[in-house]
Amino acid sequence: MTDTGLSPQEFRQTLGRFASGVTIITARGDERRGMTASAFVSVSLQPPLILVSVDTRAHMHALLLQDDVTHFGVNVLSATQRHLSDHFAGRPGPEDQVPWFEHEGLPLIGGSVAQLVCRKDRVIEAGDHTLFLGFVEYSRYTDDDPLVYFRGQYHELG
């Protein structure tokens, strides 16, 4: 008898009970690209490491695997940036409403609660996702409230 674990639907429903912030992962290849991600976690304070999990079917996955893509950004969205989460998750929305700015050539999202510039440190295959470990070289942040995702819906603190 083979134990296959939970079904994808049951697993998604269960993990949806974990409230998380919403991030946009950004990188530049031939053009700037962004992807909504809630699978983001701090890994280590010394050295400063973070991890993002990217579906192998995502365009961002192929971009981050490129040898010449050495850095990526993590943008923690503010409570007012739900439209950006939707846009980068593939839901319709105008590109001209994205408040892009660059830090040393890396595209980041303006108005975010926090931005991290990460050097790609390790790439780890993990099922239908790949884990990208990033060494944080630069950060900036505000005291604005973050956008929160819980049970498949957006929420605000307060």
Side-chain angles (χ1 to χ4, degrees), residues 131-146:
L131 309 177
F132 293 91
L133 204 62
F135 178 86
V136 181
E137 295 183 335
Y138 170 83
S139 73
R140 59 190 257 178
Y141 58 89
T142 71
D143 289 329
D144 296 339
D145 285 340

Side-chain angles (χ1 to χ4, degrees), residues 21-138:
V22 181
T23 67
I24 303 293
I25 308 306
T26 54
R28 178 179 296 284
D30 294 336
E31 59 185 31
R32 63 186 175 206
R33 184 172 296 278
M35 179 196 86
T36 300
S38 57
F40 160 74
V41 65
S42 166
V43 173
S44 169
L45 292 175
Q46 288 273 325
L49 297 172
I50 58 88
L51 179 144
V52 293
S53 179
V54 179
D55 190 311
T56 58
R57 299 169 297 175
H59 294 293
M60 181 62 73
H61 183 268
L63 179 60
L64 290 177
L65 284 179
Q66 293 178 14
D67 289 337
D68 60 337
V69 176
T70 59
H71 288 74
F72 61 91
V74 178
N75 305 269
V76 180
L77 295 186
S78 78
T80 64
Q81 293 181 309
R82 175 181 175 170
H83 66 287
L84 294 175
S85 175
D86 288 340
H87 173 77
F88 287 107
R91 296 179 194 96
E95 174 72 19
D96 63 353
Q97 288 187 6
V98 178
W100 291 109
F101 76 95
E102 292 197 3
H103 176 82
E104 297 181 5
L106 182 70
L108 297 171
I109 306 292
S112 299
V113 172
Q115 296 102 8
L116 303 167
V117 172
C118 305
R119 183 180 70 237
K120 196 168 46 173
D121 187 72
R122 277 177 242 155
V123 177
I124 304 160
E125 292 181 22
D128 60 2
H129 280 61
T130 298
L131 309 177
F132 293 91
L133 204 62
F135 178 86
V136 181
E137 295 183 335
Y138 170 83

Side-chain angles (χ1 to χ4, degrees), residues 16-22 77-82 85 145-158:
R17 274 39 185 190
F18 178 72
S20 66
V22 181
L77 295 186
S78 78
T80 64
Q81 293 181 309
R82 175 181 175 170
S85 175
D145 285 340
L147 183 62
V148 177
Y149 197 68
F150 178 67
R151 285 194 292 189
Q153 296 181 8
Y154 298 107
H155 296 272
E156 295 180 26
L157 295 180

